[in-house]
Amino acid sequence: MPASPPVSRPVPRGLSRTGPVLFSYGFRPFFLGGALWAIAAMSLWIAAISGHITLAGAYGAPNWHAHEMLFGFASAVLAGFLLTAVPNWTGRLPVSGWPLGALFTLWCAGRIALLATDVIGVIPAAAIDGLFLPALLAICTREVVAGRKWKDLKVLCGLLALSLANGIFHVAAIDGGHDHLAIRLAVAAYVVLVMIVGGRIVPSFTRNWLNKVGRTDFPVPYTRFDTVAILAGVGALAAWTALPQHPATAGFGLAAAALHCIRLHRWRGWTTMPEKLLVILHIAYAFIPLGLLTIGLSALGHLEERSVLHLLSVGAIASMMLAVMTRASLGHTGRPLKASRQTVAAYGALILCALVRPLGEVLPDLSPPIYAASGLLWIAAFGLFCLEYAPILARKRRTPL
């Protein structure tokens, strides 16, 4: 059975005195930085495709857009989660103060470097950006090994795959290409992490809430079925990464989709309707079987690959990230675990974005307004997050966790 899910824990006494509260815990700078960059990167991309600006110079605007969604925004949120969850898994103190500030600065340097490729060159920019994920991997590996939490090393395999995908993507961009293999590998790595970590937190948080409100119709505990579902998902994503149009990929994708539908059903998501912080976790996970289904349909020639990519990247990955960002920001700062109307609106905007964006390939004649609508929905989702959660992340709260 997987290790226990991350739970809220207090910042060790005196930790906030080592520097600004923003750098007292990993979720604070990286959730805020990731959300702000989600808004800025999408705004720059819309301006670029509208012909108002030239973006990323020799690196190429399409390459920059794909990279900054997968390795800019998403890597920041992943860092915020891991730097907060790993101390809970291992029982060790979190990375904070100047080491956390240095890691965050390294992430920021990658964002600036890729925007300045015409000034510093594509290779130096790629080299600067390429430092962040290996640095995060080294820190997390050190903590997991020191805490002797060997089962959690599998989570770090996803981080290793992302580091590899980032390197492959940069090599292709330096040569003037656009590496779809690297993009699929990155999306697959994130989705596997959602399968593993989502399998911990979704049923666990659901059970805790049901127990709190006096109900006993709990989610089914982790069993061998969950292991089979995860392995089937890994197989389908591996086949899609290497051979996206192969008939065998269709079979793997459709079979894995069925297993993950059953897995999600076992978590009894319909029981959580009164609590939107839980509902969004189930909805975000539902995009995994939906994405696996589209992998199968794409392999059979019924859907474009970009539809699959956007359904998984926005639906399964970004939606789960937003769900975790809101819950962790509240829980780890001692606030009630209750979604405000603004938070629910952010969820709704991102879900709509995930559903609308793939229609651009299905309805090519309507693609310009569809792309514009999806971009605005993305900006709205993370704009709402920033409006509500930036003060929470940047300020100290006296209430203990």
Side-chain angles (χ1 to χ4, degrees):
M1 182 174 178
S4 300
V7 295
S8 298
R9 58 184 289 182
V11 175
R13 188 180 299 277
L15 186 61
S16 62
R17 299 193 191 107
T18 63
V21 67
L22 186 64
F23 296 108
S24 63
Y25 233 125
F27 72 93
R28 291 181 180 271
F30 281 108
F31 284 178
L32 181 55
L36 289 171
W37 188 239
I39 299 167
M42 185 60 71
S43 299
L44 289 171
W45 173 241
I46 291 173
I49 61 176
S50 301
H52 297 299
I53 63 171
T54 300
L55 192 60
Y59 197 82
N63 280 336
W64 180 88
H65 171 64
H67 183 275
E68 290 309 289
M69 291 295 102
L70 290 173
F71 303 106
F73 152 74
S75 72
V77 179
L78 179 61
F81 171 77
L82 288 176
L83 293 172
T84 306
V86 168
N88 286 299
W89 298 342
T90 63
R92 289 168 57 81
L93 291 177
V95 176
S96 61
W98 73 262
L100 177 58
L103 185 64
F104 182 68
T105 300
L106 189 60
W107 175 80
C108 292
R111 314 286 64 78
I112 296 170
L114 288 178
L115 283 174
T117 52
D118 282 349
V119 178
I120 65 174
V122 176
I123 294 177
I128 292 170
D129 174 77
L131 295 173
F132 173 71
L133 284 170
L136 177 63
L137 176 61
I139 291 171
C140 292
T141 301
R142 180 197 67 190
E143 295 301 304
V144 169
V145 171
R148 303 179 68 83
K149 294 293 183 179
W150 310 118
K151 290 184 178 180
D152 293 319
L153 286 174
K154 61 179 176 289
V155 175
L156 302 186
C157 290
L159 194 50
L160 177 62
L162 287 172
S163 301
L164 178 62
N166 191 33
I168 295 172
F169 190 94
H170 280 318
V171 170
I174 290 169
D175 289 338
H178 187 75
D179 199 310
H180 292 274
L181 173 64
I183 294 173
R184 291 194 300 271
L185 176 58
V187 170
Y190 281 118
V191 172
V192 171
L193 287 173
V194 173
M195 290 178 182
I196 295 172
V197 178
R200 299 180 182 188
I201 65 175
V202 178
S204 176
F205 292 160
T206 300
R207 189 188 193 285
N208 292 345
W209 182 79
L210 290 172
N211 185 59
K212 181 180 177 181
V213 298
R215 297 180 59 167
T216 58
D217 46 343
F218 299 138
V220 178
Y222 190 98
T223 65
R224 289 182 180 177
F225 176 84
D226 295 90
T227 301
V228 171
I230 292 172
L231 291 176
V234 171
L237 290 165
W240 173 65
T241 300
L243 301 167
Q245 300 302 318
H246 197 280
T249 300
F252 287 134
L254 297 175
L259 289 172
H260 280 273
C261 277
I262 297 171
R263 189 187 196 204
L264 183 62
H265 183 269
R266 284 156 53 98
W267 294 341
R268 305 180 64 82
W270 61 89
T271 63
T272 67
M273 288 306 295
E275 182 48 74
K276 300 303 185 286
L277 282 177
L278 285 173
V279 173
I280 186 60
L281 291 171
H282 289 269
I283 292 175
Y285 199 93
F287 277 97
I288 289 183
L290 183 58
L292 291 168
L293 173 63
T294 60
I295 283 175
L297 294 176
S298 176
L300 294 173
H302 299 306
L303 279 178
E304 293 287 334
E305 182 181 291
R306 283 188 294 179
S307 294
V308 180
L309 287 170
H310 286 98
L311 198 63
L312 286 172
S313 60
V314 181
I317 299 169
S319 295
M320 184 62 77
M321 286 182 168
L322 183 61
V324 170
M325 289 163 69
T326 52
R327 186 183 185 91
S329 297
L330 294 173
H332 283 275
T333 57
R335 290 168 170 82
L337 291 175
K338 191 71 177 177
S340 67
R341 291 182 179 179
Q342 190 167 310
T343 295
V344 174
Y347 295 158
L350 195 57
I351 291 167
L352 282 175
C353 177
L355 295 174
V356 166
R357 178 57 183 82
L359 295 176
E361 281 70 49
V362 178
L363 303 170
D365 292 340
L366 298 175
S367 58
I370 288 173
Y371 294 161
S374 62
L376 291 174
L377 285 166
W378 175 275
I379 292 171
F382 289 99
L384 288 168
F385 173 86
C386 288
L387 285 174
E388 182 172 0
Y389 291 89
I392 293 174
L393 294 169
R395 297 175 188 168
K396 183 179 179 181
R397 181 178 171 87
R398 294 192 180 192
T399 305
L401 295 174

